[in-house]
Amino acid sequence: MRMKKEIIFIFYIFINIEFIKGKDFFEFANEYQNELCSYNGIPTYDPKTNQVLCECDEKHVNEPRIEFRTYINGHLVQCSYEKKRRFFAFFLAAIFPIGLDFLYLGHIYLFLLSLLLFLTVLIVNIIQIILSYKNNNKKDESINRGKYKINIRNTTTILKRINMFGINIIFLIYYLSHIIIQGLGFIKDSNNIETENDMVYLFSKPED
């Protein structure tokens, strides 16, 4: 009989401790709920998991990088990661065709590839202009090498056609497709987070 009372007493103490824990956390959650959501979301308390869950706004998500996550008294701070702006990335892609939008989104290697492509096209065009200038001043000049006779005028014409219908066309297709894909938000940032869809604000009517 005495053993039964002790078991009941221990069970009673355990229930009260768990109740106090839940109550303390509930009071803590109410006091710090906005801070737990980084003031960027709507907090709700889940009694089943004894946690605060945040519904983040359109501009924020939970921090995807574990090493950058922060905690308050052991509880995860949510909605602390700010999304990259889609319109700004689109603006960079449209105005600066050297891959600055990739740099903004954190894709360093894609930025370097885009920069290399742009410099290649630029150098080829500069060479074409120089050769065309020389060709206009020396139309009849030719170079003899053994049995072969190379005409500068013909060489310039060939390079011009390759450049016009080759590299420049390829770069133009890349440029147009790039800004369209960026504007549609298909390119995520380096942490695999979608960009903020702020493009809709350009076409939406202001509220009265």
Side-chain angles (χ1 to χ4, degrees), residues 31-39 54 72 76-78:
E31 184 178 356
Y32 295 99
Q33 58 184 354
N34 289 323
E35 191 172 353
L36 284 172
C37 295
S38 305
Y39 300 93
C54 300
I72 298 178
L76 176 65
V77 176
Q78 304 169 59

Side-chain angles (χ1 to χ4, degrees), residues 117-174:
L117 177 61
F118 175 81
L119 292 177
T120 301
V121 174
L122 181 63
I123 292 172
V124 169
N125 278 276
I126 291 175
I127 293 175
Q128 174 189 317
I129 293 173
I130 294 174
L131 291 177
S132 297
Y133 177 77
K134 288 183 176 181
N135 183 50
N136 291 332
N137 293 330
K138 300 179 180 180
K139 293 182 179 180
D140 298 328
E141 183 179 351
S142 61
I143 301 175
N144 294 310
R145 294 181 180 177
K147 298 180 181 180
Y148 299 97
K149 186 176 181 181
I150 302 175
N151 188 278
I152 294 179
R153 187 169 164 183
N154 293 335
T155 304
T156 303
T157 303
I158 294 173
L159 289 175
K160 185 176 180 180
R161 289 178 179 176
I162 293 175
N163 181 32
M164 182 178 297
F165 299 102
I167 296 178
N168 282 342
I169 296 299
I170 292 174
F171 183 78
L172 180 62
I173 294 173
Y174 162 76

Side-chain angles (χ1 to χ4, degrees), residues 77-108:
V77 176
Q78 304 169 59
C79 306
S80 58
Y81 185 84
E82 185 175 2
K83 295 180 179 179
K84 302 294 185 180
R85 296 184 58 188
R86 185 176 303 175
F87 174 75
F88 187 63
F90 171 79
F91 173 81
L92 291 176
I95 303 300
F96 304 100
I98 60 175
L100 286 182
D101 56 312
F102 288 130
L103 186 63
Y104 169 65
L105 296 176
H107 300 295
I108 305 299

Side-chain angles (χ1 to χ4, degrees), residues 61-65 81-84 105-107 185-196:
V61 294
N62 294 337
E63 175 60 61
R65 299 163 295 183
Y81 185 84
E82 185 175 2
K83 295 180 179 179
K84 302 294 185 180
L105 296 176
H107 300 295
F186 291 149
I187 303 177
K188 300 180 180 180
D189 68 10
S190 57
N191 295 309
N192 202 32
I193 300 297
E194 294 182 353
T195 54
E196 177 196 352

